[in-house]
């Protein structure tokens, strides 16, 4: 009733359809003409999509019907017809009133994949939250809005339902992807725990960095537990590095001393290269230096290795020069053979 009353107020000041003439001889029944109008309106209710026009026509019909009813009582058939049209118009008016208040679909469409950058990802998840809130309201409105099955569905309602379907599909895909990423990160956290337990600091550090980077594209509300776990594991990894530094520093100092001996008292070039390679392999097995003191030893080791390799570098340069000299000599011999072959007439030459 409220929907119809609202629309009746709206059309009160609008241009009205032509008044239905019910002027008949005093003995005539005004409900005959009004019943014809009822039948026409009943047909148009099912064939026209112009809701405002339909309800405006009903408003005029209703007023004239009530005026006529003050003078005489309609017969049962006319009353039944009028009641049916009134009921349909009331149902249409109520549905149209609800349609006017449906939440406007959000734009633009959401991507199913969040951006990797932290700031952009944060904005993206705010949009997801807003779209989720819109979808909740839209579904509630759609449940309340029961458009009459006998009436033509307006384009606005079709678009509204399409928007609900599209957002439902997108948000479901986003939720599935998010759950998949969270499961994957939970697996990475377990693997990180294993690496730390095995003392694999280099692999653990790499995995910790990649896992933290992956968290940036996920909503903060969903990663609190994983973030706490990673912080705890990062602390354990730091402690492990400290212990490893304590244990490896003497080894690094020993390797520096051995490399210094090679730099001061080089071996034969081939043996020198093999020894330098072996010391480098031992150094790399100690892992990346975690503290300034060990990084300083690393710089020292690299500088000593460059000096120790100088003997090899001269040897390899001499070998390269020897190979180049041999190549030139071979080319000269080939050129002499070509010249001989070009200048010799083998048809008259006794080759016995």
């Amino acid at each position: 009733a409220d929907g119809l009353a609202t629309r009746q107020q709206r059309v009160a000041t609008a241009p009205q359809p032509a008044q239905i003439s019910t002027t008949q001889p005093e003995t005539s029944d005004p409900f005959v003409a009004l019943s014809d109008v009822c039948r026409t309106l009943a047909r148009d209710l099912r064939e026209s999509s112009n809701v405002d026009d339909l309800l405006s026509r009903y408003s005029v019909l209703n007023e004239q019907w009530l005026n006529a009813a003050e003078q005489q009582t309609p017969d049962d058939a006319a009353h039944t017809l009028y009641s049916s049209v009134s009921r349909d118009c009331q149902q249409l008016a109520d549905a149209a009133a609800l349609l006017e208040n449906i939440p406007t679909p959000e734009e633009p469409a959401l991507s199913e994949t969040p951006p990797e950058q932290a700031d952009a990802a944060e904005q993206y998840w705010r949009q997801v939250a807003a779209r989720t809130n819109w979808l909740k309201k839209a579904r509630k409105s759609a449940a309340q809005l029961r458009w009459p099955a006998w009436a033509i569905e307006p384009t606005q309602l079709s678009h509204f339902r399409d928007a609900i379907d599209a957002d439902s599909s997108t948000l479901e895909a986003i939720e599935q992807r998010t759950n998949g990423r969270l499961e994957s990160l939970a697996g990475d956290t377990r693997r990180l725990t294993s690496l730390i337990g095995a003392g694999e600091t280099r692999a653990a550090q790499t995995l910790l960095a990649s896992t933290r980077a992956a968290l940036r594209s996920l909503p903060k509300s969903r990663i609190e537990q994983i973030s706490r776990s990673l912080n705890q594991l990062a602390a354990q990894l730091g402690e492990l590095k400290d212990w490893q530094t304590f244990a490896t520093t003497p080894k690094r100092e020993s390797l520096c001393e051995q490399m210094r001996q090679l730099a001061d008292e080089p071996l034969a070039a081939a043996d020198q290269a093999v020894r330098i390679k072996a010391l480098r392999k031992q150094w790399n097995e100690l892992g990346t230096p975690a503290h300034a003191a060990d990084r300083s030893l690393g710089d020292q080791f690299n500088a000593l290795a460059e000096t120790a390799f100088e003997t090899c570098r001269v040897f390899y340069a001499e070998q390269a020069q020897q190979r180049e000299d041999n190549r030139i000599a071979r080319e000269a011999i080939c050129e002499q053979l070509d010249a001989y072959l070009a200048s010799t007439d083998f048809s008259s030459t006794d080759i016995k």
Side-chain angles (χ1 to χ4, degrees), residues 31-86:
F31 292 105
V32 173
L34 290 173
S35 294
D36 288 340
V37 175
C38 282
R39 280 186 283 272
T40 300
L41 183 56
R43 181 200 63 204
D44 291 347
L45 283 170
R46 286 152 179 78
E47 297 179 358
S48 174
S49 61
N50 191 336
V51 176
D52 284 338
D53 174 68
L54 293 170
L55 296 180
S56 178
R57 288 163 57 188
Y58 171 73
S59 178
V60 174
L61 169 64
N62 182 59
E63 181 180 359
Q64 294 186 347
W65 189 280
L66 294 178
N67 289 337
E70 291 179 356
Q71 304 301 321
Q72 69 180 79
T73 302
D75 60 30
D76 290 343
H79 177 73
T80 299
L81 177 60
Y82 169 74
S83 297
S84 175
V85 171
S86 296

Side-chain angles (χ1 to χ4, degrees), residues 209-268:
S210 64
T211 304
R212 280 179 162 168
L215 290 180
R216 291 197 294 265
S217 65
L218 292 171
K220 292 181 179 179
S221 61
R222 303 287 296 275
I223 61 173
E224 293 178 354
Q225 182 176 350
I226 293 179
S227 295
R228 284 195 298 269
S229 298
L230 288 180
N231 289 338
Q232 294 171 356
L233 290 171
Q236 294 176 22
L237 181 58
E239 293 176 0
L240 177 60
K241 285 182 176 180
D242 289 341
W243 278 107
Q244 288 187 343
T245 297
F246 178 78
T248 59
T249 296
K251 295 180 181 178
R252 295 183 193 278
E253 292 174 344
S254 174
L255 290 172
C256 282
E257 187 57 35
Q258 292 178 63
M259 190 66 78
R260 185 189 306 278
Q261 185 175 357
L262 286 178
D264 293 342
E265 302 175 10
L267 305 173

